[in-house]
Every structure is written in structure tokens, then in C-alpha cells.
Amino acid sequence: MAMKKLIAAALAVTLLGSTLAGCSSGDKNTGGTDSTGAKTEAGSENKESDDKTADSGDREKLEFWGWWGSEARKPVLEEAVKMFNESQEKYEVTYVNLPWGDVFTKNIAQIAAGNPTDIMANTLEEVRFRAEQGQVESLDDFLKKDEGTGADSFIEQDLDACTGEDGSVYALPFSVDTRVIYYNKDHFTEAGLDPENPPKTWDELKEAAYKLEKKNGDAYDRIGFLPLLGNGGLDTWVCNANKGQIWYDESGNPSVDTDINKDVFKWVDEFTQHYGSSTYNEMSAAFKSGMQDPFSSGKLSMLLQTSAYVSSLKQTNPDLNYGVMQMPEYKEGNGHTVNGSGFVLEIPKGAKNPEGSYEFIKFMTSKDMQEFLCERLGDFSARTDFDKDSAFLSDPITAKISEALSDTKAAVTPNNMKGYTDIINPLIEEGTLGVKSTDDALANAQKAFQDFLK
């Protein structure tokens, strides 16, 4: 059966009543079925849904390891695996769900033991590191033989993140995310702001934030914006101001203690000083405690969040009248660059049937299957060949967020810098917490970074 027919048939079956937030959401903590770390018997994860197993004959059994185990996401992944199994007669893949965190350590352990899984979902940011460590197989030979993979149809920087320092491709992007600012359109209208023309620069963003706020005596009934709330820290703003670079320049030299970064610190701190640290702590606690978040409840007018937040809002406040804007420019003409992340599919080193593993990866990252997964899960794809009138992109919010993907920079750390953030982050945090002055905090972090590289 052709893949498009399989996808059309799957879409006709309602697996779920709602979707869950994407890769950065709570699905990371779902439990797995294999507590030992050894590979489970093929088919044990999906016996009730895989009626063709008895007819599989001499099919090669393959396992696909991931951590998506929620009631919203796991059935979709299992359906996608079933669609692959029905699309050909040579391989039979089983999806194995393991807990977030454990799945990575068990993957490394199985590689070391010479008994790796066949297909592994993994992080986009560390493909190059895993390649250097000899943990993944190169896809070069497969890509050269198969011109129909559409590997050149992925966002350039995401495919680049899948490429090792030796120039070989070691994975293909499975899903990606980005960051945008969500804003309450009703609040904008009430404050005399144009909801269809959101802020374009940092200065405009601050101006709008102060217009949106509401005070009741000394207390705030509504906050306009706080840069460090949501899913984005100081590094997000540093990334934007430095056009994609964060704490080092394009040559790999530490660039923590710079005039631009001092300006970023000052801009962020102005919001905290304006609203007061107690207000910031109260808002931050509301997010961390699992209570209804301030943006969804209307106590916060703008929020920096990932693309997965759309699914969360559908659950917490489906009637909320909101829009999204790309990361405003540090200065006009500076660009809308923002940091992001994602997940890939790769073949662990030593997998018994890399040809079959690759066929599954090719299927799951194909245009048709990516559209299927995006529509069902709300995740975003790194593919650039989606039709603009597709079911997924026809939604105006989704379409707007997708515009930010090309300006999203995956935080791929050079291998020789691995672990540097553990050294500099505590020193930078001393500046954000007011323990040290901004100048001292950045200077100390700069020196520590330089010493780390030595």
C-alpha cells in the first residue's frame, strides 16, 4: 500500500481527542517497560495493535527506542510504526518506550555491550558529540544511494547539526522546536495597542509591556512581560542580540564579557527592577508549581515560550484570544534569531541491520509522515517542503510559528567545549541574582571559560 494511502487511512481514525505539548513537555518522565536496559522481545510493546505479526514470516525484527509514552503521544508513535510495517514486507519495527534520561544511558550501555537497539531517538544538539565518541553510524552511504530521501529538504542549520565535524551525516531531524512570544490580543486592544502589529524590537517590546500592566495600589493585577519567565533564559536574549552566538564567537573564542552582553543584562534587569523581585518570584513560582500559568489565566500579557506551548494552551484555555510574534530584534535590522532544539533519529553504532534501520528513519522523516506527525502531535518539522495549505500549516498560529524556524539556532556546542556551561553558568547567575555586579559576573565567567579551554 502506498504511504499516502496509509496516512490518509490513519487520519480517518480518531486515535486521540486532544494533543499534548511537544518535545519539551512533560512526556519526558513517562515510564518504560524495560527496567533492565536489555532489549525487549520484539512485539512485546504493541501486541494488541500489531495483528500482522503472525503473518510476518521471515521479516527482520527491529526496535525503535524513544521516551514518548503518554496516552496522547505513544499511540501516535505506534500508529506510525504500524504504517511503516504495512508499507513494506522486509522489516517489522516495534516501538519501545523507556523513561526520559534512562533511555540515553541505556543506549550507551547497549552500544558498549555490543547489543545496541536498531533505531534511536536522540537529541539534536549532541549528534556531533556522539559521532566523535563513535556512538552512531554514518548515513552517508545510504544517502548517496538513495536520492529520494529529500535530505536537502531540511532546514539547513538542522541538517548541519546532524553532520559531524568530519562532514558525514549521522542522523536526520525528527522534530524541532523554536521560541516565540505569545501575546494576549484582548489585552493589546484594551491597552490601545494594535493586536495585528506586535512589537518588532526590544525597545518596542518594553514599551508595550509597561502599557499592558495593571496595578492595584502597590500590587500588580496584570504584568506586561518578564523576559526570563517561560521557556527561555538569559541565553535566549544573548543569542538574539549576538545573531545566533551565545557565549562564544564563530571562531570558538569565549565572548562572555562583551558590551552587547552587558547591554542584554541591563535590559533584562530593568524589567525585574520595574516589577520588583517579589513579583518576579511570585510569577516564577506559579509556573514551577504546576498551577495554571499566569499567561493562560490572563495575569501575564506576553510570554516567551516554545512552539510546543500551543498544545498546552489548547488544554488550559482553548478560548484564549492570542497571537504569536517572532523574537523581536535587539536593534532594528539585527534579525529575529532565537535558540531552539530538537530530536533526531539515528542508527546506534553496531546495529545489526543498518539498512533496515535507515529505511525506517527515511520513512519517519519523509514529507508525508512528517505532516502526519505534525498534525497529530502538534510538533514541528525541520522539513522545508510542506505545502502552505496543508492541514497543519493552515492554522494561522502554526503558520506564524513556522516562520520562526528558519531563524532558529540549534545550540550545538563544539566538541572541545563540551561541559563549558557547567563552569560559566553559576558565575553568570551571580550577576542575574545580584550577588555580583554585571561587570564582575561576566568578567569572572569569561576568565573561567578561557581557563576551561586551556
PDB file of all heavy atoms in Angstrom, residues 10-36:
ATOM      1  N   ALA A  10      -5.004   6.420   8.206  1.00  0.00           N
ATOM      2  CA  ALA A  10      -4.745   6.641   9.634  1.00  0.00           C
ATOM      3  C   ALA A  10      -5.413   7.915  10.116  1.00  0.00           C
ATOM      4  O   ALA A  10      -5.907   7.987  11.241  1.00  0.00           O
ATOM      5  CB  ALA A  10      -3.246   6.707   9.885  1.00  0.00           C
ATOM      6  N   LEU A  11      -5.410   8.935   9.278  1.00  0.00           N
ATOM      7  CA  LEU A  11      -6.035  10.194   9.661  1.00  0.00           C
ATOM      8  C   LEU A  11      -7.538  10.045   9.812  1.00  0.00           C
ATOM      9  O   LEU A  11      -8.185  10.824  10.515  1.00  0.00           O
ATOM     10  CB  LEU A  11      -5.720  11.270   8.616  1.00  0.00           C
ATOM     11  CG  LEU A  11      -4.306  11.825   8.662  1.00  0.00           C
ATOM     12  CD1 LEU A  11      -4.049  12.707   7.449  1.00  0.00           C
ATOM     13  CD2 LEU A  11      -4.070  12.606   9.934  1.00  0.00           C
ATOM     14  N   ALA A  12      -8.103   9.066   9.150  1.00  0.00           N
ATOM     15  CA  ALA A  12      -9.549   8.867   9.233  1.00  0.00           C
ATOM     16  C   ALA A  12      -9.954   8.224  10.545  1.00  0.00           C
ATOM     17  O   ALA A  12     -11.118   8.196  10.912  1.00  0.00           O
ATOM     18  CB  ALA A  12     -10.030   7.992   8.082  1.00  0.00           C
ATOM     19  N   VAL A  13      -8.972   7.667  11.267  1.00  0.00           N
ATOM     20  CA  VAL A  13      -9.262   7.034  12.556  1.00  0.00           C
ATOM     21  C   VAL A  13      -8.911   8.002  13.669  1.00  0.00           C
ATOM     22  O   VAL A  13      -7.805   8.507  13.714  1.00  0.00           O
ATOM     23  CB  VAL A  13      -8.434   5.736  12.717  1.00  0.00           C
ATOM     24  CG1 VAL A  13      -8.731   5.099  14.070  1.00  0.00           C
ATOM     25  CG2 VAL A  13      -8.766   4.772  11.599  1.00  0.00           C
ATOM     26  N   THR A  14      -9.817   8.276  14.554  1.00  0.00           N
ATOM     27  CA  THR A  14      -9.552   9.218  15.640  1.00  0.00           C
ATOM     28  C   THR A  14      -8.897   8.488  16.791  1.00  0.00           C
ATOM     29  O   THR A  14      -9.551   7.792  17.546  1.00  0.00           O
ATOM     30  CB  THR A  14     -10.848   9.878  16.134  1.00  0.00           C
ATOM     31  OG1 THR A  14     -11.476  10.495  15.035  1.00  0.00           O
ATOM     32  CG2 THR A  14     -10.563  10.895  17.221  1.00  0.00           C
ATOM     33  N   LEU A  15      -7.586   8.642  16.896  1.00  0.00           N
ATOM     34  CA  LEU A  15      -6.866   7.997  17.984  1.00  0.00           C
ATOM     35  C   LEU A  15      -6.995   8.772  19.280  1.00  0.00           C
ATOM     36  O   LEU A  15      -7.024   8.206  20.367  1.00  0.00           O
ATOM     37  CB  LEU A  15      -5.366   7.899  17.634  1.00  0.00           C
ATOM     38  CG  LEU A  15      -4.991   6.870  16.569  1.00  0.00           C
ATOM     39  CD1 LEU A  15      -3.517   6.996  16.247  1.00  0.00           C
ATOM     40  CD2 LEU A  15      -5.305   5.475  17.052  1.00  0.00           C
ATOM     41  N   LEU A  16      -7.065  10.098  19.155  1.00  0.00           N
ATOM     42  CA  LEU A  16      -6.995  10.950  20.330  1.00  0.00           C
ATOM     43  C   LEU A  16      -8.018  12.052  20.262  1.00  0.00           C
ATOM     44  O   LEU A  16      -8.404  12.469  19.192  1.00  0.00           O
ATOM     45  CB  LEU A  16      -5.598  11.600  20.431  1.00  0.00           C
ATOM     46  CG  LEU A  16      -4.419  10.632  20.386  1.00  0.00           C
ATOM     47  CD1 LEU A  16      -3.146  11.424  20.211  1.00  0.00           C
ATOM     48  CD2 LEU A  16      -4.364   9.832  21.657  1.00  0.00           C
ATOM     49  N   GLY A  17      -8.431  12.509  21.436  1.00  0.00           N
ATOM     50  CA  GLY A  17      -9.338  13.640  21.488  1.00  0.00           C
ATOM     51  C   GLY A  17      -8.597  14.945  21.557  1.00  0.00           C
ATOM     52  O   GLY A  17      -9.149  16.000  21.277  1.00  0.00           O
ATOM     53  N   SER A  18      -7.346  14.888  21.957  1.00  0.00           N
ATOM     54  CA  SER A  18      -6.558  16.112  22.068  1.00  0.00           C
ATOM     55  C   SER A  18      -5.104  15.765  21.897  1.00  0.00           C
ATOM     56  O   SER A  18      -4.717  14.611  21.946  1.00  0.00           O
ATOM     57  CB  SER A  18      -6.769  16.769  23.441  1.00  0.00           C
ATOM     58  OG  SER A  18      -6.350  15.905  24.468  1.00  0.00           O
ATOM     59  N   THR A  19      -4.265  16.755  21.680  1.00  0.00           N
ATOM     60  CA  THR A  19      -2.835  16.556  21.563  1.00  0.00           C
ATOM     61  C   THR A  19      -2.147  17.061  22.812  1.00  0.00           C
ATOM     62  O   THR A  19      -2.726  17.758  23.626  1.00  0.00           O
ATOM     63  CB  THR A  19      -2.278  17.326  20.345  1.00  0.00           C
ATOM     64  OG1 THR A  19      -2.604  18.697  20.494  1.00  0.00           O
ATOM     65  CG2 THR A  19      -2.855  16.785  19.066  1.00  0.00           C
ATOM     66  N   LEU A  20      -0.890  16.673  22.952  1.00  0.00           N
ATOM     67  CA  LEU A  20      -0.110  17.081  24.105  1.00  0.00           C
ATOM     68  C   LEU A  20       1.007  17.982  23.635  1.00  0.00           C
ATOM     69  O   LEU A  20       1.343  18.005  22.456  1.00  0.00           O
ATOM     70  CB  LEU A  20       0.458  15.836  24.806  1.00  0.00           C
ATOM     71  CG  LEU A  20       1.104  16.019  26.169  1.00  0.00           C
ATOM     72  CD1 LEU A  20       0.008  16.331  27.196  1.00  0.00           C
ATOM     73  CD2 LEU A  20       1.819  14.741  26.577  1.00  0.00           C
ATOM     74  N   ALA A  21       1.605  18.713  24.544  1.00  0.00           N
ATOM     75  CA  ALA A  21       2.710  19.593  24.192  1.00  0.00           C
ATOM     76  C   ALA A  21       3.841  18.773  23.608  1.00  0.00           C
ATOM     77  O   ALA A  21       3.969  17.584  23.857  1.00  0.00           O
ATOM     78  CB  ALA A  21       3.188  20.354  25.421  1.00  0.00           C
ATOM     79  N   GLY A  22       4.715  19.456  22.811  1.00  0.00           N
ATOM     80  CA  GLY A  22       5.725  18.748  22.055  1.00  0.00           C
ATOM     81  C   GLY A  22       6.908  18.294  22.867  1.00  0.00           C
ATOM     82  O   GLY A  22       6.814  17.993  24.029  1.00  0.00           O
ATOM     83  N   CYS A  23       8.084  18.254  22.216  1.00  0.00           N
ATOM     84  CA  CYS A  23       9.211  17.547  22.780  1.00  0.00           C
ATOM     85  C   CYS A  23       9.715  18.119  24.076  1.00  0.00           C
ATOM     86  O   CYS A  23      10.392  17.440  24.827  1.00  0.00           O
ATOM     87  CB  CYS A  23      10.354  17.536  21.762  1.00  0.00           C
ATOM     88  SG  CYS A  23      10.897  19.179  21.249  1.00  0.00           S
ATOM     89  N   SER A  24       9.409  19.340  24.405  1.00  0.00           N
ATOM     90  CA  SER A  24       9.911  19.906  25.648  1.00  0.00           C
ATOM     91  C   SER A  24       8.890  19.822  26.767  1.00  0.00           C
ATOM     92  O   SER A  24       9.028  20.473  27.778  1.00  0.00           O
ATOM     93  CB  SER A  24      10.297  21.382  25.433  1.00  0.00           C
ATOM     94  OG  SER A  24       9.181  22.116  25.002  1.00  0.00           O
ATOM     95  N   SER A  25       7.837  19.034  26.599  1.00  0.00           N
ATOM     96  CA  SER A  25       6.796  18.971  27.595  1.00  0.00           C
ATOM     97  C   SER A  25       6.993  17.813  28.537  1.00  0.00           C
ATOM     98  O   SER A  25       8.009  17.161  28.575  1.00  0.00           O
ATOM     99  CB  SER A  25       5.441  18.863  26.904  1.00  0.00           C
ATOM    100  OG  SER A  25       5.333  17.617  26.269  1.00  0.00           O
ATOM    101  N   GLY A  26       5.951  17.527  29.345  1.00  0.00           N
ATOM    102  CA  GLY A  26       6.056  16.561  30.411  1.00  0.00           C
ATOM    103  C   GLY A  26       6.176  15.129  29.971  1.00  0.00           C
ATOM    104  O   GLY A  26       6.253  14.238  30.809  1.00  0.00           O
ATOM    105  N   ASP A  27       6.237  14.835  28.690  1.00  0.00           N
ATOM    106  CA  ASP A  27       6.344  13.465  28.224  1.00  0.00           C
ATOM    107  C   ASP A  27       7.706  12.863  28.533  1.00  0.00           C
ATOM    108  O   ASP A  27       7.923  11.680  28.378  1.00  0.00           O
ATOM    109  CB  ASP A  27       6.097  13.411  26.719  1.00  0.00           C
ATOM    110  CG  ASP A  27       5.483  12.094  26.283  1.00  0.00           C
ATOM    111  OD1 ASP A  27       5.265  11.209  27.125  1.00  0.00           O
ATOM    112  OD2 ASP A  27       5.230  11.966  25.089  1.00  0.00           O
ATOM    113  N   LYS A  28       8.647  13.671  28.992  1.00  0.00           N
ATOM    114  CA  LYS A  28       9.977  13.168  29.274  1.00  0.00           C
ATOM    115  C   LYS A  28       9.979  12.163  30.427  1.00  0.00           C
ATOM    116  O   LYS A  28      10.847  11.323  30.517  1.00  0.00           O
ATOM    117  CB  LYS A  28      10.913  14.329  29.639  1.00  0.00           C
ATOM    118  CG  LYS A  28      11.198  15.255  28.477  1.00  0.00           C
ATOM    119  CD  LYS A  28      12.079  16.394  28.928  1.00  0.00           C
ATOM    120  CE  LYS A  28      12.402  17.334  27.778  1.00  0.00           C
ATOM    121  NZ  LYS A  28      13.222  18.460  28.192  1.00  0.00           N
ATOM    122  N   ASN A  29       9.038  12.253  31.348  1.00  0.00           N
ATOM    123  CA  ASN A  29       9.084  11.452  32.552  1.00  0.00           C
ATOM    124  C   ASN A  29       8.227  10.209  32.500  1.00  0.00           C
ATOM    125  O   ASN A  29       7.956   9.598  33.522  1.00  0.00           O
ATOM    126  CB  ASN A  29       8.640  12.309  33.749  1.00  0.00           C
ATOM    127  CG  ASN A  29       9.578  13.465  33.966  1.00  0.00           C
ATOM    128  OD1 ASN A  29      10.780  13.318  33.835  1.00  0.00           O
ATOM    129  ND2 ASN A  29       9.038  14.622  34.293  1.00  0.00           N
ATOM    130  N   THR A  30       7.773   9.841  31.333  1.00  0.00           N
ATOM    131  CA  THR A  30       6.915   8.674  31.234  1.00  0.00           C
ATOM    132  C   THR A  30       7.706   7.407  31.456  1.00  0.00           C
ATOM    133  O   THR A  30       8.868   7.308  31.094  1.00  0.00           O
ATOM    134  CB  THR A  30       6.259   8.596  29.853  1.00  0.00           C
ATOM    135  OG1 THR A  30       7.274   8.647  28.860  1.00  0.00           O
ATOM    136  CG2 THR A  30       5.294   9.743  29.660  1.00  0.00           C
ATOM    137  N   GLY A  31       7.063   6.411  32.030  1.00  0.00           N
ATOM    138  CA  GLY A  31       7.748   5.179  32.378  1.00  0.00           C
ATOM    139  C   GLY A  31       7.915   4.261  31.186  1.00  0.00           C
ATOM    140  O   GLY A  31       7.120   4.271  30.262  1.00  0.00           O
ATOM    141  N   GLY A  32       8.934   3.437  31.227  1.00  0.00           N
ATOM    142  CA  GLY A  32       9.183   2.482  30.175  1.00  0.00           C
ATOM    143  C   GLY A  32       8.753   1.088  30.594  1.00  0.00           C
ATOM    144  O   GLY A  32       8.261   0.878  31.692  1.00  0.00           O
ATOM    145  N   THR A  33       8.961   0.144  29.720  1.00  0.00           N
ATOM    146  CA  THR A  33       8.550  -1.222  30.004  1.00  0.00           C
ATOM    147  C   THR A  33       9.727  -2.134  30.254  1.00  0.00           C
ATOM    148  O   THR A  33       9.556  -3.283  30.595  1.00  0.00           O
ATOM    149  CB  THR A  33       7.750  -1.783  28.815  1.00  0.00           C
ATOM    150  OG1 THR A  33       8.555  -1.702  27.642  1.00  0.00           O
ATOM    151  CG2 THR A  33       6.494  -0.980  28.612  1.00  0.00           C
ATOM    152  N   ASP A  34      10.951  -1.641  30.054  1.00  0.00           N
ATOM    153  CA  ASP A  34      12.124  -2.473  30.217  1.00  0.00           C
ATOM    154  C   ASP A  34      12.992  -1.885  31.314  1.00  0.00           C
ATOM    155  O   ASP A  34      13.690  -0.904  31.119  1.00  0.00           O
ATOM    156  CB  ASP A  34      12.907  -2.519  28.890  1.00  0.00           C
ATOM    157  CG  ASP A  34      14.154  -3.380  29.002  1.00  0.00           C
ATOM    158  OD1 ASP A  34      14.388  -3.950  30.074  1.00  0.00           O
ATOM    159  OD2 ASP A  34      14.882  -3.454  28.009  1.00  0.00           O
ATOM    160  N   SER A  35      12.935  -2.420  32.502  1.00  0.00           N
ATOM    161  CA  SER A  35      13.657  -1.855  33.635  1.00  0.00           C
ATOM    162  C   SER A  35      15.092  -2.335  33.701  1.00  0.00           C
ATOM    163  O   SER A  35      15.875  -1.869  34.521  1.00  0.00           O
ATOM    164  CB  SER A  35      12.943  -2.247  34.948  1.00  0.00           C
ATOM    165  OG  SER A  35      12.899  -3.654  35.072  1.00  0.00           O
ATOM    166  N   THR A  36      15.479  -3.279  32.851  1.00  0.00           N
ATOM    167  CA  THR A  36      16.826  -3.839  32.917  1.00  0.00           C
ATOM    168  C   THR A  36      17.792  -3.159  31.983  1.00  0.00           C
ATOM    169  O   THR A  36      18.999  -3.228  32.174  1.00  0.00           O
ATOM    170  CB  THR A  36      16.785  -5.333  32.557  1.00  0.00           C
ATOM    171  OG1 THR A  36      16.425  -5.461  31.188  1.00  0.00           O
ATOM    172  CG2 THR A  36      15.803  -6.085  33.437  1.00  0.00           C
TER     173      THR A  36
END
